Amino acid sequence: MEIPNQHNSTIKTPEEIEKEVWSLLELVSDPEVPVLSVIDLGVVRKVQAITAQPPENWKIVVSYTPTYTGCPAMDVMKMNMRLALVQAGFRDVDFTQVLSPAWTTDWMTQAGKDKLKAYGIAPPQHKQMVCTPDSFQQEEAIPCPRCNSYHTRLVSQFGSTACKALYQCNDCKEPFDYFKCH
Protein backbone atom coordinates (compact mmCIF):
# COMPACT_ATOMS: atom_id res chain seq x y z
CA MET A 1 0.00 0.00 0.00
CA GLU A 2 1.33 3.41 -0.92
CA ILE A 3 0.85 6.33 1.43
CA PRO A 4 -0.16 9.69 -0.10
CA ASN A 5 2.01 12.65 0.81
CA GLN A 6 1.15 16.35 0.95
CA HIS A 7 2.07 16.90 -2.73
CA ASN A 8 -0.50 14.37 -4.09
CA SER A 9 2.21 11.93 -5.05
CA THR A 10 2.74 8.64 -3.31
CA ILE A 11 5.47 7.43 -1.05
CA LYS A 12 6.25 3.74 -1.10
CA THR A 13 6.23 1.69 2.06
CA PRO A 14 9.41 0.00 3.30
CA GLU A 15 7.94 -3.36 2.25
CA GLU A 16 7.40 -2.13 -1.32
CA ILE A 17 10.94 -0.74 -1.49
CA GLU A 18 12.36 -4.01 -0.13
CA LYS A 19 10.42 -5.99 -2.75
CA GLU A 20 11.82 -3.68 -5.44
CA VAL A 21 15.38 -4.20 -4.14
CA TRP A 22 14.95 -8.01 -4.13
CA SER A 23 13.79 -7.76 -7.78
CA LEU A 24 16.82 -5.65 -8.70
CA LEU A 25 19.19 -8.08 -6.99
CA GLU A 26 17.66 -10.94 -8.99
CA LEU A 27 19.39 -9.33 -12.00
CA VAL A 28 22.87 -9.30 -10.42
CA SER A 29 24.92 -12.29 -11.60
CA ASP A 30 27.51 -14.35 -9.79
CA PRO A 31 30.76 -13.45 -11.65
CA GLU A 32 32.05 -17.04 -11.44
CA VAL A 33 28.78 -18.66 -12.55
CA PRO A 34 27.02 -15.94 -14.57
CA VAL A 35 23.89 -18.02 -15.09
CA LEU A 36 23.12 -17.59 -11.36
CA SER A 37 21.92 -14.41 -9.70
CA VAL A 38 22.95 -13.55 -6.15
CA ILE A 39 19.37 -14.46 -5.21
CA ASP A 40 19.61 -17.87 -6.94
CA LEU A 41 22.87 -18.46 -5.10
CA GLY A 42 21.24 -17.64 -1.76
CA VAL A 43 23.91 -15.24 -0.51
CA VAL A 44 21.47 -12.36 0.10
CA ARG A 45 19.97 -12.98 3.53
CA LYS A 46 17.95 -9.83 4.20
CA VAL A 47 17.05 -6.48 2.69
CA GLN A 48 16.02 -3.51 4.82
CA ALA A 49 14.64 -0.21 3.58
CA ILE A 50 14.96 2.59 6.12
CA THR A 51 13.23 5.90 5.45
CA ALA A 52 15.25 9.07 5.43
CA GLN A 53 14.36 12.73 5.05
CA PRO A 54 12.82 13.70 2.70
CA PRO A 55 10.69 10.54 2.81
CA GLU A 56 11.36 9.54 -0.81
CA ASN A 57 15.02 8.93 0.11
CA TRP A 58 15.81 5.46 1.39
CA LYS A 59 18.76 3.84 3.10
CA ILE A 60 19.11 0.26 1.86
CA VAL A 61 20.90 -2.34 3.98
CA VAL A 62 21.68 -5.67 2.31
CA SER A 63 22.75 -8.51 4.61
CA TYR A 64 24.70 -11.24 2.87
CA THR A 65 26.57 -14.43 3.68
CA PRO A 66 29.57 -15.32 1.49
CA THR A 67 29.68 -18.83 0.07
CA TYR A 68 32.91 -19.27 2.00
CA THR A 69 35.29 -16.96 3.85
CA GLY A 70 37.63 -15.34 1.39
CA CYS A 71 35.50 -16.08 -1.68
CA PRO A 72 37.13 -13.90 -4.37
CA ALA A 73 33.80 -13.35 -6.14
CA MET A 74 32.08 -11.76 -3.13
CA ASP A 75 33.71 -8.33 -3.58
CA VAL A 76 32.62 -8.28 -7.22
CA MET A 77 29.10 -9.36 -6.23
CA LYS A 78 28.87 -6.55 -3.65
CA MET A 79 30.13 -4.00 -6.17
CA ASN A 80 27.62 -5.19 -8.79
CA MET A 81 24.77 -5.15 -6.25
CA ARG A 82 25.70 -1.61 -5.25
CA LEU A 83 25.86 -0.53 -8.93
CA ALA A 84 22.44 -2.04 -9.66
CA LEU A 85 20.88 -0.24 -6.70
CA VAL A 86 22.59 3.09 -7.43
CA GLN A 87 21.48 2.90 -11.07
CA ALA A 88 17.92 2.36 -9.82
CA GLY A 89 18.16 5.57 -7.78
CA PHE A 90 19.17 4.29 -4.35
CA ARG A 91 22.09 6.41 -3.18
CA ASP A 92 22.56 5.25 0.43
CA VAL A 93 23.42 1.54 0.27
CA ASP A 94 25.19 -0.45 3.01
CA PHE A 95 26.19 -4.09 3.20
CA THR A 96 26.33 -6.22 6.33
CA GLN A 97 28.27 -9.48 6.24
CA VAL A 98 26.63 -12.28 8.23
CA LEU A 99 28.90 -15.26 8.92
CA SER A 100 26.64 -17.32 11.17
CA PRO A 101 25.03 -19.51 10.19
CA ALA A 102 27.51 -20.35 7.45
CA TRP A 103 26.25 -20.39 3.86
CA THR A 104 25.08 -23.73 2.54
CA THR A 105 24.06 -24.95 -0.88
CA ASP A 106 20.67 -25.64 0.74
CA TRP A 107 20.10 -21.88 0.42
CA MET A 108 20.31 -22.02 -3.37
CA THR A 109 16.94 -21.70 -5.05
CA GLN A 110 15.55 -24.61 -7.04
CA ALA A 111 15.46 -22.27 -10.04
CA GLY A 112 19.18 -21.67 -9.52
CA LYS A 113 19.91 -25.39 -9.38
CA ASP A 114 17.89 -25.87 -12.57
CA LYS A 115 19.85 -23.05 -14.25
CA LEU A 116 23.14 -24.71 -13.25
CA LYS A 117 22.11 -27.99 -14.85
CA ALA A 118 20.94 -26.27 -18.05
CA TYR A 119 24.30 -24.45 -18.13
CA GLY A 120 26.17 -27.77 -17.95
CA ILE A 121 27.16 -27.70 -14.27
CA ALA A 122 25.85 -30.48 -12.06
CA PRO A 123 23.92 -28.81 -9.21
CA PRO A 124 24.62 -29.72 -5.58
CA GLN A 125 22.98 -32.94 -4.46
CA HIS A 126 21.02 -33.32 -1.26
CA LYS A 127 23.25 -33.61 1.74
CA GLN A 128 23.76 -36.99 3.31
CA MET A 129 21.62 -37.20 6.43
CA VAL A 130 23.50 -40.00 8.24
CA CYS A 131 27.21 -39.83 8.93
CA THR A 132 29.14 -43.02 9.45
CA PRO A 133 32.87 -43.70 9.05
CA ASP A 134 32.06 -45.56 5.81
CA SER A 135 30.31 -42.47 4.40
CA PHE A 136 33.60 -40.68 4.00
CA GLN A 137 35.18 -43.50 2.01
CA GLN A 138 32.75 -43.41 -0.91
CA GLU A 139 32.51 -40.96 -3.78
CA GLU A 140 29.23 -39.18 -4.16
CA ALA A 141 27.17 -40.32 -7.17
CA ILE A 142 26.87 -37.20 -9.33
CA PRO A 143 24.62 -37.29 -12.39
CA CYS A 144 25.93 -35.89 -15.67
CA PRO A 145 24.12 -32.60 -16.42
CA ARG A 146 24.15 -33.45 -20.15
CA CYS A 147 22.88 -37.07 -20.34
CA ASN A 148 21.70 -37.62 -16.71
CA SER A 149 23.85 -40.74 -16.34
CA TYR A 150 25.12 -41.59 -12.85
CA HIS A 151 28.00 -43.46 -14.49
CA THR A 152 30.44 -40.62 -13.72
CA ARG A 153 33.82 -40.33 -12.06
CA LEU A 154 35.64 -37.70 -10.05
CA VAL A 155 38.62 -36.29 -11.96
CA SER A 156 39.65 -33.60 -9.47
CA GLN A 157 38.31 -32.25 -6.17
CA PHE A 158 38.70 -28.80 -7.72
CA GLY A 159 37.12 -27.63 -10.95
CA SER A 160 37.11 -24.23 -12.60
CA THR A 161 36.62 -22.60 -9.17
CA ALA A 162 37.20 -23.77 -5.60
CA CYS A 163 33.46 -24.36 -5.08
CA LYS A 164 33.30 -26.89 -7.92
CA ALA A 165 34.78 -30.33 -8.56
CA LEU A 166 35.66 -31.74 -11.98
CA TYR A 167 33.88 -34.91 -13.09
CA GLN A 168 33.67 -36.88 -16.30
CA CYS A 169 30.73 -38.88 -17.60
CA ASN A 170 31.69 -42.43 -18.52
CA ASP A 171 28.72 -42.70 -20.91
CA CYS A 172 28.80 -39.50 -22.97
CA LYS A 173 32.53 -38.93 -22.16
CA GLU A 174 31.98 -35.22 -21.46
CA PRO A 175 33.79 -33.51 -18.57
CA PHE A 176 31.65 -31.30 -16.32
CA ASP A 177 31.85 -29.23 -13.17
CA TYR A 178 29.89 -30.22 -10.09
CA PHE A 179 28.86 -27.43 -7.72
CA LYS A 180 30.01 -29.04 -4.47
CA CYS A 181 27.66 -29.38 -1.54
CA HIS A 182 28.61 -27.09 1.35
Side-chain angles (χ1 to χ4, degrees), residues 17 36 38 55 59 92 116 121 146 153 169 171:
I17 294 296
L36 293 179
V38 294
K59 176 183 181 97
D92 191 0
L116 277 176
I121 298 173
R146 292 176 179 83
R153 68 180 181 86
C169 179
D171 288 339

Side-chain angles (χ1 to χ4, degrees), residues 122-133:
Q125 301 297 299
H126 295 289
K127 287 186 182 175
Q128 188 171 323
M129 299 310 282
V130 178
C131 284
T132 65

Side-chain angles (χ1 to χ4, degrees), residues 117 122-126 139-154 167-174 176 178:
K117 183 175 180 186
Q125 301 297 299
H126 295 289
E139 277 186 28
E140 194 173 4
I142 306 300
C144 175
R146 292 176 179 83
C147 72
N148 296 316
S149 170
Y150 278 89
H151 191 215
T152 62
R153 68 180 181 86
L154 176 67
Y167 276 73
Q168 182 174 17
C169 179
N170 294 324
D171 288 339
C172 73
K173 307 297 185 212
E174 289 294 321
F176 63 92
Y178 165 58

Side-chain angles (χ1 to χ4, degrees), residues 37-99:
S37 74
V38 294
I39 302 302
D40 290 328
L41 194 55
V43 295
V44 176
R45 304 306 309 145
K46 184 177 180 181
V47 170
Q48 289 178 281
I50 303 164
T51 56
Q53 296 300 323
E56 60 275 357
N57 293 337
W58 292 92
K59 176 183 181 97
I60 304 300
V61 179
V62 177
S63 298
Y64 70 95
T65 300
T67 55
Y68 65 92
T69 304
C71 173
M74 200 66 240
D75 287 337
V76 176
M77 282 187 243
K78 279 181 15 188
M79 179 186 66
N80 290 342
M81 286 189 281
R82 180 180 305 282
L83 285 172
L85 296 175
V86 167
Q87 288 173 347
F90 297 104
R91 300 289 180 242
D92 191 0
V93 179
D94 283 336
F95 292 90
T96 302
Q97 182 173 269
V98 179
L99 297 177

Side-chain angles (χ1 to χ4, degrees), residues 101-121:
W103 179 86
T104 169
T105 50
D106 292 341
W107 293 356
M108 292 177 75
T109 65
Q110 186 58 49
K113 291 175 183 179
D114 294 344
K115 289 176 188 177
L116 277 176
K117 183 175 180 186
Y119 193 63
I121 298 173

